[in-house]
Amino acid sequence: MTADAQTTRIHSFADDALGEHDAVALAELVRNGERSPRELAAAAADRARAVEELAAVAYESYEQPLLPAEPTGRLYGVPTFVKDNADIVGMPSNHGTQAFQGKPAREHGGYARQFLSAGMTVLGKSTLPEFGFNATTEPPFAPPTRNPWHTGYSVGGSSGGSAALVAAGVVPIAHGNDGGGSIRIPAACAGLVGLKPSRGRHIDSAMARKLPINIVSEGVLTRTVRDTAAYTAAVEEFWRNPALPPIGCVEGPGSKPLRIALLLENVGGPVPTGPVRSAVEKVAATLESHGHRVESVPLPFDAALETAFLHYWGLLATFVASTGKIADRSFDAGRLDDLTLGLRRHFLRSAWRLPLTLYRLRAAAATYERALGPYDAVLLPTLGHETPELGYLSPTVPFDELLDRLRTYVSFTPINNITGTPSITIPAGLSPSGLPIGVQFAGTRGNERTLLELAYLLEAENPFPRLVG
């Protein structure tokens, strides 16, 4: 473990089998016989133990990691963690709650099989806030998951544990899922790459298939664009939706000039002057220097869509609280955290509005297509402001106050969950306090390839900040 007393940064990078390699490089070492999957898994386990202070691991299986059954897959032998809401054989799924105690899964979940097809070794489960509802990973019954860039700050949510483990160097890639920004928010907080794929791009989890509108996408958090691209290609080889254009293996920036929309406002108005706006404007200038045309556009949605999303968010909390007993007899709704219970109350106060909520959410895709479809991509902030300190978004904050804070902070990411369109966040520098800032590229449904090409361009032009080196 390496830490700095002044910045309270913490990481596990070391002169071991993992080194500072990304997943693609480690897979190449395994293919060449220079490293073995067990050797890499052992090094990752040692690193995880060295940074336990981050509180990023929900369940560990270091002594008996889940090794791939066959020596196949683009990322064969690379160690990883799976978020604690996806079923992996022999490991419990506790969904970040104390309302029940999960039992070891008897079989892999649907998406887990696709994830494992890449050939990675699973060392355990990463932490998340209760049922993924919060934008920070701070369970009231356990230590908060800390940001490796500054342990006094949030690492985001809901894929917070995965973000902390990847940023700190424990593993180069880890699983996440995104129902309102849950891959992109922690990626932005931790200086990582996080792609939210198009709706239908992958095999959905059983829970996602039950939703009236499926807003959840599965994916990974990585330190390099090529790792995200390699993973995307790997799982596409396992299963591809014929209704969407193939992505293939994207290996660098595109060559044609693009027309890119610049979105710098949310329902609360323009993004104020400061580090977030400056980061987006710097990226816009970089794009223009490469011949891309960047045009400012107004937000094509009003506050009614935000209200609908909040109502739907409350519906999901109500579903969990009401049906948990069916899934597990030990489920105790009285042990749910205050955010989940508050979201349920928020929904029940106006449950009669659900048909209108669903109508507005479904209509948003057409609005997005009309306003932003003519563009090759959209450039926008990932978050409404800089990463907050631990406690600011804690579920122990009074519900109405917490909801107002979340509405300001998570003001951009839900758009692509609602519309089913892809979005990728990439690091765009550091704030004055030394914390990463992320920006997003979004596109029309099925256009992940263009987003990855743009991410490659920005990575080459403005190398991502790192905790070491």
Side-chain angles (χ1 to χ4, degrees):
M1 177 181 74
T2 301
D4 184 304
Q6 290 188 328
T7 63
T8 60
R9 289 186 179 184
I10 182 173
H11 69 78
S12 63
F13 290 101
D15 185 16
D16 57 11
L18 295 170
E20 296 181 24
H21 297 300
D22 67 359
V24 170
L26 290 174
E28 183 67 22
L29 291 175
V30 172
R31 278 193 296 273
N32 293 341
E34 297 177 53
R35 300 292 185 194
S36 72
R38 286 194 178 276
E39 185 181 10
L40 297 181
D46 287 343
R47 290 187 176 196
R49 294 186 185 100
V51 292
E52 288 182 346
E53 173 187 340
L54 294 175
V57 178
Y59 175 85
E60 58 95 351
S61 188
Y62 304 154
E63 301 305 319
Q64 293 183 308
L66 181 62
L67 292 156
E70 301 291 337
T72 58
R74 286 178 181 263
L75 301 178
Y76 171 65
V78 176
T80 191
F81 283 81
V82 172
K83 189 174 175 180
D84 195 24
N85 61 0
D87 285 347
I88 296 291
V89 165
M91 300 183 189
S93 295
N94 283 307
H95 297 267
T97 186
Q98 61 176 348
F100 74 100
Q101 188 64 44
K103 300 176 180 65
R106 296 182 179 180
E107 61 182 7
H108 297 316
Y111 179 73
R113 290 192 292 273
Q114 188 172 14
F115 177 85
L116 294 171
S117 71
M120 293 180 283
T121 301
V122 180
L123 295 176
K125 296 293 201 70
S126 59
T127 54
L128 72 156
E130 188 165 85
F131 297 104
F133 290 143
N134 207 345
T136 190
T137 306
E138 300 180 46
F141 58 88
T145 301
R146 299 179 179 275
N147 193 324
W149 287 87
H150 191 308
T151 55
Y153 283 73
S154 170
V155 74
S158 65
S159 307
S162 288
L165 292 166
V166 174
V170 175
V171 290
I173 182 170
H175 167 243
N177 38 42
D178 191 316
S182 292
I183 288 174
R184 292 161 291 156
I185 294 166
C189 292
L192 303 174
V193 179
L195 171 66
K196 186 211 85 70
S198 299
R199 182 178 296 146
R201 178 61 77 182
H202 51 74
I203 298 172
D204 289 321
S205 69
M207 185 177 294
R209 291 196 296 271
K210 294 177 183 177
L211 300 178
I213 299 173
N214 182 11
I215 60 173
V216 181
S217 288
E218 305 280 349
V220 291
L221 296 96
T222 68
R223 294 192 297 268
T224 65
V225 177
R226 74 171 184 169
D227 275 1
T228 294
Y231 172 80
T232 300
V235 296
E236 190 175 59
E237 290 167 357
F238 179 83
W239 180 84
R240 186 178 74 79
N241 186 344
L244 294 172
I247 302 171
C249 189
V250 184
E251 297 181 320
S255 56
K256 69 173 186 176
L258 303 177
R259 186 183 178 208
I260 298 172
L262 173 63
L263 183 60
L264 274 172
E265 65 173 308
N266 54 38
V267 295
V271 175
T273 300
V276 171
R277 187 181 185 98
S278 295
V280 178
E281 291 173 340
K282 180 180 177 182
V283 169
T286 299
L287 294 172
E288 289 178 327
S289 73
H290 282 265
H292 300 302
R293 182 179 171 187
V294 180
E295 304 173 14
S296 295
V297 297
L299 181 70
F301 304 107
D302 59 22
L305 186 65
E306 179 189 64
T307 299
F309 182 77
L310 291 174
H311 197 235
Y312 191 71
W313 191 15
L315 169 67
L316 301 185
T318 303
F319 177 80
V320 165
S322 304
T323 65
K325 207 74 171 174
I326 299 173
D328 191 303
R329 292 181 183 178
S330 68
F331 186 87
D332 180 359
R335 302 189 74 187
L336 293 168
D337 73 24
D338 290 346
L339 175 58
T340 303
L341 295 174
L343 286 169
R344 180 175 67 170
R345 291 193 301 271
H346 180 82
F347 172 77
L348 292 176
R349 281 198 295 266
S350 56
W352 58 272
R353 295 174 59 90
L354 182 58
L356 178 60
T357 289
L358 297 179
Y359 170 79
R360 284 176 171 162
L361 293 177
R362 288 172 177 144
T367 302
Y368 185 99
E369 180 64 31
R370 285 195 301 271
L372 302 174
Y375 296 90
D376 296 295
V378 183
L379 170 63
L380 68 164
T382 304
L383 294 166
H385 59 75
E386 297 169 70
T387 305
E389 293 185 56
L390 288 169
Y392 181 77
L393 298 175
S394 168
T396 61
V397 172
F399 177 74
D400 289 341
E401 183 178 356
L402 176 57
L403 192 59
D404 283 343
R405 291 178 178 184
L406 286 168
R407 290 169 68 179
T408 301
Y409 186 52
V410 187
S411 51
F412 292 100
T413 52
I415 293 170
N416 300 100
N417 299 90
I418 295 167
T419 59
T421 51
S423 177
I424 190 170
T425 187
I426 58 171
L430 299 176
S431 72
S433 56
L435 292 161
I437 295 175
V439 302
Q440 291 186 92
F441 289 116
T444 52
R445 189 163 177 254
N447 197 25
E448 285 92 332
R449 186 175 188 91
T450 296
L451 306 188
L452 287 165
E453 289 173 344
L454 286 168
Y456 266 118
L457 170 61
L458 267 295
E459 184 179 37
E461 284 296 299
N462 301 299
F464 301 156
R466 304 182 63 192
L467 277 168
V468 294

